[in-house]
Amino acid sequence: MIRVSVVQTIYDEKAFGTGDSKEVVRAEQRAFDAVEKCLKMVEMAAQAGTDLIVTTEAVNHCLFYSLEHIHIKRLKIIAEKYNTYIVAGLHIQRDGKKYNSALLFGPTGNIEEIYDKVHLPAEEAAIVSAGDDYKVVETRWGRLGLLICWDLQFPEAARILALKGADIIACPTLGWEDIYGLARAYENSLYIVAAMGISVNYNVWNEYMGTSCIVNPIGKKIASSQKEDDDIISATIDVSIEPAPQYGSGLITGHKSMRYTRTMQRRADTYGLLTEENPPVLGRYQKIQKSRIQ
């Protein structure tokens, strides 16, 4: 049994500023203050005995940190002091490139893994570089996979983590949608711990947008936050218990795990189209673009 916690903080669009130099300075200060607030909440969750803490995506907003930044050092201190794992969503700059990353801090205080967001929305692709690998880390309580926001729109990303043996996917996000979020947990028979940045200014809320939540392996929320404010939500989970096979398939196969059943019954030999860069459906949109040009 482990305790997992989500740290939900308000996402301030003003923390990105404008082209005005004075406004940029103010935006940078707001971004710095947002991380300070997040760190206090992370420590509150750690003090409560949490085994895994997940923050929202890019909590430092317009700022890009080196791995030596004071806030990263403080996350290391908190993780070691409270003997916990922390997944922090941060904009990072390293090797001359900018990334939207999820940093995994281990209970020794070390950074055990850095995941760079693979799937980038158009506006984000103009700012940061895309990652090219999906990470699963062995922890003392099971295997942890890492994704960020838009990654969950693509079933292949979560499935790869599941095939690598992930028991939990930690997902810092600024765009959690219940529809696909719950589906990814269900179809892969694993937990998803999603930390959603909320906003009182930006109109992101609509009929399908959700909030920070912890989802069990049958696609049901076991804890969720409110939309209006900063929040910490927690749940106790047991990754050793997997969903039983559905539709009586376990009676035939003799297996007691839906995760195993889905993996065993995959037909990888029929999935070749999934790795094609230009599948037939793209032809439809290429025709539309061509007709518009003409």
Side-chain angles (χ1 to χ4, degrees), residues 8-10 176 178 196-200 204-212 221 224-231:
Q8 172 178 284
T9 48
I10 293 176
W176 171 263
D178 287 347
M196 171 72 172
I198 64 167
S199 172
V200 294
V204 298
W205 301 117
N206 49 46
E207 68 274 12
Y208 58 83
M209 190 70 74
T211 63
S212 299
K221 292 183 183 180
S224 60
S225 67
Q226 299 299 311
K227 292 183 178 181
E228 291 81 8
D229 207 349
D230 301 321
D231 200 5

Side-chain angles (χ1 to χ4, degrees), residues 86-248:
I86 301 171
V87 176
L90 293 166
H91 278 143
I92 296 295
Q93 185 163 347
R94 65 182 197 280
D95 302 325
K97 294 184 178 181
K98 295 178 178 179
Y99 296 95
N100 183 344
S101 303
L103 276 63
L104 174 63
F105 298 84
T108 63
N110 294 324
I111 297 176
E112 296 196 1
E113 189 57 88
I114 299 176
Y115 168 71
D116 301 319
K117 188 174 180 179
V118 171
H119 299 92
L120 301 178
E123 68 278 8
E124 194 172 359
I127 301 171
V128 302
S129 298
D132 58 7
D133 192 18
Y134 299 102
K135 308 292 183 70
V136 173
V137 181
E138 191 79 46
T139 72
R140 63 191 176 203
W141 35 256
R143 291 184 177 181
L144 177 66
L146 303 170
L147 292 178
I148 301 173
C149 194
W150 194 242
D151 287 324
L152 272 186
Q153 283 272 8
F154 301 86
E156 297 87 347
R159 178 52 56 89
I160 288 173
L161 295 183
L163 293 177
K164 286 187 172 186
D167 300 299
I168 300 173
I169 293 177
C171 185
T173 182
L174 293 174
W176 171 263
E177 295 179 26
D178 287 347
I179 293 173
Y180 66 69
L182 306 187
R184 298 296 89 84
Y186 169 79
E187 66 199 10
N188 293 294
S189 299
L190 46 67
Y191 289 92
I192 291 182
V193 183
M196 171 72 172
I198 64 167
S199 172
V200 294
N201 301 313
Y202 183 53
N203 185 26
V204 298
W205 301 117
N206 49 46
E207 68 274 12
Y208 58 83
M209 190 70 74
T211 63
S212 299
C213 58
I214 299 166
V215 187
N216 70 13
I218 60 172
K220 302 295 184 182
K221 292 183 183 180
I222 55 176
S224 60
S225 67
Q226 299 299 311
K227 292 183 178 181
E228 291 81 8
D229 207 349
D230 301 321
D231 200 5
I232 299 174
I233 61 169
S234 302
T236 299
I237 65 176
D238 187 346
V239 298
S240 69
I241 300 176
E242 299 182 16
Q246 295 168 289
Y247 317 118

Side-chain angles (χ1 to χ4, degrees), residues 10-161:
I10 293 176
Y11 180 72
D12 184 1
E13 299 78 43
K14 293 181 180 179
F16 281 92
T18 64
D20 177 77
S21 58
K22 291 183 179 179
E23 179 55 31
V24 168
V25 172
R26 288 193 289 267
E28 290 177 348
Q29 185 60 54
R30 284 191 290 265
F32 189 91
D33 293 343
V35 184
E36 287 286 316
K37 177 182 64 175
C38 179
L39 287 171
K40 291 178 182 177
M41 295 176 68
V42 167
E43 185 155 20
M44 288 173 60
Q47 287 172 340
T50 300
D51 299 288
L52 171 65
I53 303 166
V54 183
T55 79
T56 64
E57 177 183 9
V59 293
N60 53 344
H61 302 296
C62 62
L63 301 175
F64 283 84
Y65 289 171
S66 75
L67 296 180
E68 301 302 317
H69 193 277
I70 184 173
H71 284 155
I72 289 181
K73 291 180 180 178
R74 284 173 58 185
L75 283 163
K76 291 181 176 180
I77 291 171
I78 294 171
E80 182 178 18
K81 180 178 180 180
Y82 297 100
N83 191 36
T84 191
Y85 290 88
I86 301 171
V87 176
L90 293 166
H91 278 143
I92 296 295
Q93 185 163 347
R94 65 182 197 280
D95 302 325
K97 294 184 178 181
K98 295 178 178 179
Y99 296 95
N100 183 344
S101 303
L103 276 63
L104 174 63
F105 298 84
T108 63
N110 294 324
I111 297 176
E112 296 196 1
E113 189 57 88
I114 299 176
Y115 168 71
D116 301 319
K117 188 174 180 179
V118 171
H119 299 92
L120 301 178
E123 68 278 8
E124 194 172 359
I127 301 171
V128 302
S129 298
D132 58 7
D133 192 18
Y134 299 102
K135 308 292 183 70
V136 173
V137 181
E138 191 79 46
T139 72
R140 63 191 176 203
W141 35 256
R143 291 184 177 181
L144 177 66
L146 303 170
L147 292 178
I148 301 173
C149 194
W150 194 242
D151 287 324
L152 272 186
Q153 283 272 8
F154 301 86
E156 297 87 347
R159 178 52 56 89
I160 288 173
L161 295 183

Side-chain angles (χ1 to χ4, degrees), residues 258-274:
M258 188 60 180
R259 185 188 305 181
Y260 180 85
T261 298
R262 282 199 179 103
T263 304
M264 179 185 67
Q265 295 183 346
R266 291 171 64 250
R267 284 291 310 279
D269 59 310
T270 68
Y271 303 157
L273 189 61
L274 291 176

